[in-house]
Amino acid sequence: MTAITSASAPTTQRFSSPAAGAYLGRIMAAYEHIVILTGAGLSAESGLSTFRDKDGIWSKHNIEDVATPEAFARNPEAVLDFYNARRRVVLGVGPNAGHEALARLEADFPGRVTTITQNVDPLHERAGTRNLIHMHGEILKAACAHCGARQPWETDLSVDLVCGTCNRAGGMRPDVVWFGEMPYQMEEIHAALGTCDLFISIGTSGNVYPAAGFVAGARAAGAHTVELNLEPSEGISMFAEAIHGKATEVVPVYVARLLGG
Ligand code: BV8
């Protein structure tokens, strides 16, 4: 893990309305590679619960009971029930103005944009983002715990399902990264962080590693670092700039600034 070094206090702005954004920021530099890290706060206004807010998912469930490989080995029914319920909710929601603005940024920005999401929902891709890394997996996919085969999956999972690849039962699980498991595409992520000149963290509390350490990696590469979140995150001191407000408000305004609109 990259060591976290102390940083000077970020330029913090409290965002109250889209109109206010017009005079908030400094003039944007000409960036070449933007890396965006997103978390549950971006999907909150689409109707998906966050994890660590007052009524969040972890206020109703113990991580150790539903989001570890040990929990799946101990009580697979309980783990599958937890994800079956969340999958049904995910299937009923759509992207919001924050996801749409980030897709517009990828399409219209003259340089490169890499989006890394901790979210297991499909809302970035449904909004049109293409250069996307789902580092914590995807709830609309299943993985076989026996052979590792992965496939699209939109219905409930159960312990009696047989894997179509290895023909073994009992291993079909959601294709999400549990605590203690290695997130996906870490090599690509570190390569992107090493070449970015702007790092934007959106809707994440900064509690879960390795994602919480990405801002340090981006700073080490010399990137300007920005937090867009409802409130200051755990890692606020690492950011050079911070704008606090709802994702559906602050993200479109920040994207418009980057695109010169
Ligand atoms: C790993 C996925 C290497 C599935 C999730 C001690 C013991 C054990 C482990 C560790 C330890 N110390 C460190 C670790 C490592 C551990 C970790 O970080 N633990 C922490 C908690 C201490 N990490 C891991 O285990 C990772 N793997 O390190 O691999 C390894 C491997 C083997 C052995 C050794 C090392 C894997 C982590 C993956 C965890 N998977 N779940 C699922 O979804 O069920 S975690 C869960 O948290 C979510 O999935 C999400 O992806 C992640 C991050 O949460 P956030 O997105 O930040 O959400 P949160 O609710 O916290 O915050 C929301 C924010 O939005 C808030 O700030 C809020 O203010 C804001 N907000 C709300 N509304 C809005 C808004 N902002 C804007 N607009 C709004 N409207």
Side-chain angles (χ1 to χ4, degrees):
M1 187 63 55
T2 311
I4 293 184
T5 53
S6 66
S8 53
T11 307
T12 304
Q13 299 152 346
R14 179 75 212 171
F15 188 88
S16 55
S17 74
Y23 56 86
L24 281 180
R26 64 181 174 81
I27 296 168
M28 306 306 295
Y31 298 112
E32 291 181 359
H33 183 192
I34 302 173
V35 169
I36 298 161
L37 172 69
T38 66
L42 178 63
S43 296
E45 292 166 83
S46 289
L48 298 180
S49 294
T50 60
F51 293 90
R52 295 169 188 81
D53 290 316
K54 192 164 62 66
D55 298 320
I57 291 172
W58 300 146
S59 73
K60 301 180 180 97
H61 300 270
N62 286 323
I63 289 176
E64 297 75 16
D65 294 338
V66 294
T68 64
E70 293 78 15
F72 186 61
R74 209 168 45 236
N75 191 347
E77 290 88 354
V79 173
L80 295 181
D81 283 353
F82 171 71
Y83 285 98
N84 287 340
R86 285 178 54 198
R87 188 183 303 101
R88 285 181 225 129
V89 176
V90 163
L91 285 168
V93 304
N96 63 46
H99 300 99
E100 284 159 7
L102 295 177
R104 195 160 58 245
L105 179 64
E106 184 189 282
D108 294 350
F109 185 68
R112 183 173 154 213
V113 178
T114 303
T115 302
I116 304 164
T117 188
Q118 299 169 86
N119 298 341
V120 297
D121 66 58
L123 300 184
H124 277 296
E125 48 271 47
R126 291 213 176 143
T129 292
R130 294 287 169 262
N131 190 21
L132 176 66
I133 295 175
H134 268 287
M135 66 175 291
H136 288 169
E138 296 169 71
I139 199 168
L140 299 187
K141 286 187 179 166
C144 174
H146 300 310
C147 72
R150 300 158 73 191
Q151 60 184 302
W153 200 279
E154 296 200 355
T155 55
D156 284 1
L157 285 165
S158 60
V159 286
D160 52 2
L161 284 166
V162 173
C163 171
T165 302
C166 71
N167 291 320
R168 293 175 67 187
M172 295 298 281
R173 54 168 280 185
D175 185 17
V176 301
V177 176
W178 286 324
F179 285 89
E181 294 184 321
M182 193 60 77
Y184 286 123
Q185 294 182 255
M186 287 306 298
E187 267 185 40
E188 289 98 319
I189 290 172
H190 284 304
L193 292 170
T195 59
C196 72
D197 45 17
L198 175 61
F199 175 83
I200 312 173
S201 173
I202 304 173
T204 178
S205 64
N207 274 284
V208 175
Y209 286 85
F214 292 170
V215 60
R219 282 175 63 100
H224 180 61
T225 54
V226 183
E227 166 169 280
L228 307 180
N229 203 48
L230 196 57
E231 60 195 4
S233 72
E234 287 287 317
I236 184 66
S237 64
M238 291 298 291
F239 290 90
E241 185 184 4
I243 302 176
H244 295 128
K246 290 181 178 179
T248 56
E249 296 176 359
V250 297
V251 176
V253 170
Y254 201 83
V255 165
R257 275 171 57 187
L258 285 173
L259 294 177

